[in-house]
Amino acid sequence: MPHGMAPLAWITESPRVWVLMGHKAGDNSQVLSLAEGLGWPFEIKRFVYNRFEPLAHALFGATLKGVDASRSSQLAAPWPDLVLTAGRRNEPVARWIKQQARPHTVRIVHVGRPWSNLDHFDLVVTTPQYRLPERSNVVQNKTPLHRVTAERLSADAALWAPRLRGLPQPMIAVVIGGPSGPYSFDREAGRRLAVQASALARSCGGSLLVTTSARTPAQAIDAFVGAVDVPYSLFRWAKDAKENPYFAFLGLAQSIIVTGDSMSMLTEACATRKPVYIFDLGEGRNAMRPDAPVPPFRWRPVESTHVKAFLYRQLLRFGPVRLGRDIRIIHRDLIEAKRAVWLGERFPEGPLPPLECLDNAVAGVRALFQLPPLTVPAPLMEWRELQPVRRSA
């Protein structure tokens, strides 16, 4: 029986589900993936945080003191049976909901790494990079959750295909993230990515479908554009963009290159069951690969991302395991499972295995409600946003 579970035989219909959205796209994608995978109607709750949020979190635990209530979704009865959340900022909100709902029973499922004590959560769905202990209330997945489906890829690909008709086939998607922890994504990394991606496209007479993300430094993309020498289409991420071809590029591509910083984007690429190539942001001793060759020394200007990367490397080396994350663990697992290779290496032949992360997470949540694992595909999902965020003028 999962940690903290009490009999819930009185539930005769789908549990009431609230999904707490955060400020990181990767976190939001994972909680939405789990909500959709469960097949239960759910409500989205959005929040705007004030500048005192970190202090409120540290001092009060289960609280709304870090939330700007006038610009955030309302939280009131009828209370949910299940709260799905991710990210540090939402932890005190989820715990506050559970506290306010008593004696009604609320289950909290946290996706990723919680910063609070694990006992505060009924279930934690995590990945090896966070190195959480083995616990009865922890589901250890090999990869993050994802929202890739054949239907989503097909629909978006059909929408964008006419706009990309002039590009040579086959098309290779290039999914670009940004600096992450001990790894810096600078101008030189952008240039190397362009050179290596161009070489792969040139080898098959194809083209590149390039998309950036919110974390991609402008100077790195400029360096990429300056060095790419094959036909390509580039989408520069923008907060106010009306359309985003991300899923379309995954659907149209024959193979996919992903920068090794984003575990969510790597997982989504692998979920397509197409060849995936991981681009190493670093070189030599700063590389993601343990056996990366050391390039000859050449001077380059120090960028702000270099300083942050250096400080994070010291945290990994000298700080508590709980505070850092080692994404190389997921790189290794994907490569050992033959789902991905490093860019520049030959992709192995044979069928690509499916990912099981979502099935494991759904089974863990259903067990909280004493429900058996799903044996048929979940129905078309339905969600409602009952309390939208009120934006300031």
Side-chain angles (χ1 to χ4, degrees):
M1 179 176 293
H3 172 82
M5 181 170 142
L8 292 174
W10 49 268
I11 290 183
T12 59
E13 57 184 22
S14 296
R16 181 187 296 271
V17 182
W18 285 3
V19 177
L20 309 189
M21 303 293 279
H23 72 294
K24 291 185 177 180
D27 289 343
N28 292 339
S29 179
Q30 289 200 70
V31 292
L32 284 174
S33 169
L34 181 52
E36 293 169 350
L38 286 167
W40 302 330
F42 59 92
E43 301 172 22
I44 287 180
K45 302 291 185 179
R46 300 181 186 275
F47 305 97
V48 176
Y49 302 91
N50 58 45
R51 58 181 176 175
F52 304 111
E53 177 273 325
L55 181 62
H57 184 177
L59 295 180
F60 300 106
T63 183
L64 295 184
K65 293 183 181 297
V67 173
D68 184 341
S70 66
R71 302 168 61 197
S72 301
S73 298
Q74 294 181 5
L75 304 176
W79 299 106
D81 304 304
L82 173 65
V83 170
L84 304 180
T85 183
R88 176 188 59 78
R89 297 183 183 187
N90 282 346
E91 289 183 36
V93 178
R95 293 171 57 193
W96 181 90
I97 293 169
K98 184 168 188 172
Q99 188 178 79
Q100 296 299 307
R102 293 172 181 165
H104 180 74
T105 301
V106 176
R107 305 299 189 191
I108 302 178
V109 175
H110 185 97
V111 179
R113 171 183 54 190
W115 292 90
S116 308
N117 191 296
L118 293 176
D119 290 332
H120 292 311
F121 306 95
D122 298 280
L123 191 70
V124 175
V125 180
T126 191
T127 49
Q129 69 194 80
Y130 297 120
R131 297 169 289 179
L132 296 186
E134 296 291 337
R135 294 276 297 270
S136 60
N137 64 328
V138 176
V139 173
Q140 297 277 1
N141 272 330
K142 291 290 187 180
T143 61
L145 306 180
H146 65 87
R147 300 182 69 203
V148 171
T149 64
E151 294 76 16
R152 178 169 283 138
L153 296 182
S154 178
D156 282 25
L159 181 65
W160 281 82
R163 314 181 197 186
L164 304 168
R165 190 175 290 118
L167 290 176
Q169 298 281 351
M171 293 186 284
I172 301 170
V174 183
V175 183
I176 304 178
S180 177
Y183 306 110
S184 172
F185 191 27
D186 58 6
R187 293 178 179 87
E188 174 59 22
R191 186 198 68 81
R192 284 193 296 109
L193 175 58
V195 170
Q196 295 179 30
S198 295
L200 183 60
R202 196 181 308 110
S203 69
C204 59
S207 57
L208 302 176
L209 303 176
V210 186
T211 178
T212 68
S213 70
R215 295 185 298 105
T216 310
Q219 61 269 27
I221 291 301
D222 292 341
F224 178 95
V225 171
V228 68
D229 60 2
V230 296
Y232 71 96
S233 175
L234 170 64
F235 173 78
R236 286 183 182 254
W237 183 91
K239 186 176 182 179
D240 56 353
K242 295 181 179 179
E243 295 181 292
N244 189 325
Y246 175 69
F247 286 115
F249 284 5
L250 294 184
L252 291 167
Q254 184 185 75
S255 57
I256 306 168
I257 299 170
V258 186
T259 56
D261 57 280
S262 173
M263 301 304 97
S264 292
M265 294 191 306
L266 273 173
T267 299
E268 289 164 346
C270 290
T272 67
R273 303 180 74 175
K274 298 177 181 181
V276 174
Y277 299 88
I278 307 173
F279 173 72
D280 193 335
L281 267 61
E283 294 182 285
R285 64 185 180 86
N286 295 329
M288 296 171 165
R289 294 170 291 177
D291 56 349
V294 179
F297 174 80
R298 57 182 180 276
W299 181 88
R300 69 176 77 172
V302 176
E303 301 178 19
S304 61
T305 57
H306 296 161
V307 177
K308 294 178 181 178
F310 171 79
L311 294 176
Y312 199 97
R313 283 196 293 272
Q314 306 317 305
L315 174 64
L316 283 180
R317 185 176 179 183
F318 300 109
V321 170
R322 186 77 170 82
L323 296 181
R325 66 185 186 113
D326 191 349
I327 60 179
R328 295 173 299 178
I329 299 172
I330 293 185
H331 295 158
R332 183 191 64 213
D333 288 347
L334 291 176
I335 291 171
E336 289 180 353
K338 298 184 178 179
R339 291 189 173 100
V341 299
W342 292 106
L343 182 56
E345 297 179 353
R346 183 181 179 84
F347 202 89
E349 297 181 359
L352 299 178
L355 297 176
E356 300 174 343
C357 53
L358 184 56
D359 293 340
N360 295 338
V362 167
V365 174
R366 289 178 64 86
L368 294 176
F369 296 91
Q370 298 182 330
L371 296 173
L374 286 173
T375 56
V376 295
L380 184 64
M381 310 311 158
E382 173 192 353
W383 63 270
R384 298 172 294 144
E385 191 168 354
L386 298 184
Q387 300 292 340
V389 178
R390 294 184 290 275
R391 300 293 182 188
S392 59

